[in-house]
Amino acid sequence: MLAPVRTSWICLASLAMAACRPGGPRPFAPPVPMVVAANQAAGDPHAGRFPYEEAVAGLPEGPVLRVVIDTDAGLVHCRLDPASAPIAVANFVGLARGLRAYQVAAGGPWERGPFYDGVPFHRAEPGQFVQAGRRGEREFPGFHLQDEMSIGHAFDRIGLLALANSGAPHSSAAQFFITTAPSLGHLNGKHTIFGSCDDEDVVRELERRVLADPGAPPQIRSVRVTRGP
């Protein structure tokens, strides 16, 4: 079964707010000025804050946001957590649906299209996680996101979906990873967790294949987003 994502301390303090209902989005945190300024200087039309409403526009109504990552090793079913990480969720969904603008090459045009289609799982750490979301050799798609980390988030189970980063604050963007171990405490407080995934056997197979042959890694065929009960 898909394990529920922990509710952030912000929502625990605001359970009366509709925005913090399970699965529902909460308002974006106040912007970090240096992150906004850097994104504006890079030409990001969204300044690192792609609107959640635009990301889910046209999807059926419902409290639960799900994605199916179709890979050549099988399907991975995930549940997103906009109640804890709305900026990360909006960005991921916008990229997956081809709504959020990105750059393929530094200084190149800002493009739109299903970002993750055809992207490989390019990295794995044995017994820890498998990672995807890099187009070509460029590490980020022209923008960065501010971090969304709270006291309630911990890398304490298999299947957590989180944003990769360079190790510096506010350096995540499009790359993500899925954990393959039940306890990765060294990652706590360093990565935004924005969902959880089922299909542990497929995730482990992705990890195995990346490690076995880095030159021919498994690919993402598509990422399908749904919303419903």
Side-chain angles (χ1 to χ4, degrees):
M1 294 294 292
L2 184 67
V5 176
R6 295 173 186 263
T7 303
S8 71
W9 67 271
I10 295 174
C11 284
L12 289 174
S14 310
L15 287 176
M17 296 175 59
C20 285
R21 67 186 183 278
R26 65 172 171 86
F28 284 4
V32 176
M34 69 175 186
V35 177
V36 172
N39 283 318
Q40 289 174 334
D44 177 16
H46 313 295
R49 296 170 69 84
F50 184 68
Y52 184 86
E53 295 75 15
E54 290 188 31
V56 300
L59 293 176
E61 293 297 325
V64 182
L65 196 59
R66 298 182 175 89
V67 296
V68 179
I69 305 173
D70 183 357
T71 81
D72 54 18
L75 300 179
V76 181
H77 297 79
C78 306
R79 176 170 172 164
L80 304 183
D81 184 23
S84 295
I87 296 174
V89 169
N91 189 75
F92 181 83
V93 170
L95 287 172
R97 299 184 69 204
L99 304 173
R100 201 263 191 256
Y102 57 86
Q103 284 180 317
V104 175
W110 288 86
E111 306 177 18
R112 286 181 175 83
F115 180 87
Y116 295 108
D117 292 12
V119 168
F121 282 87
H122 64 278
R123 180 188 176 206
E125 289 294 325
Q128 296 190 50
F129 58 80
V130 63
Q131 183 172 325
R134 185 181 71 190
R135 294 188 71 88
E137 296 302 316
R138 197 177 189 206
E139 292 295 330
F140 75 105
F143 61 85
H144 289 106
L145 305 179
Q146 70 183 66
D147 295 331
E148 296 175 283
M149 302 166 191
S150 66
I151 294 172
H153 279 180
F155 286 89
D156 58 1
R157 59 190 180 276
I158 294 170
L160 288 176
L161 180 65
L163 292 179
N165 59 42
S166 69
H170 312 301
S171 61
S172 62
Q175 293 193 42
F176 65 90
F177 62 91
I178 305 171
T179 59
T180 58
S183 181
L184 297 172
H186 63 286
L187 299 180
N188 291 346
K190 297 179 180 179
H191 297 271
T192 297
I193 299 172
F194 67 101
S196 60
C197 301
D198 210 340
D199 306 298
E200 177 184 336
D201 56 336
V202 177
V203 176
R204 289 190 182 278
E205 175 63 10
L206 291 167
E207 178 191 53
R208 186 197 69 78
R209 287 178 55 180
V210 174
L211 295 171
D213 189 358
Q219 307 284 315
I220 295 175
R221 292 170 174 159
S222 66
V223 177
R224 181 169 60 90
V225 182
T226 61
R227 185 169 60 169

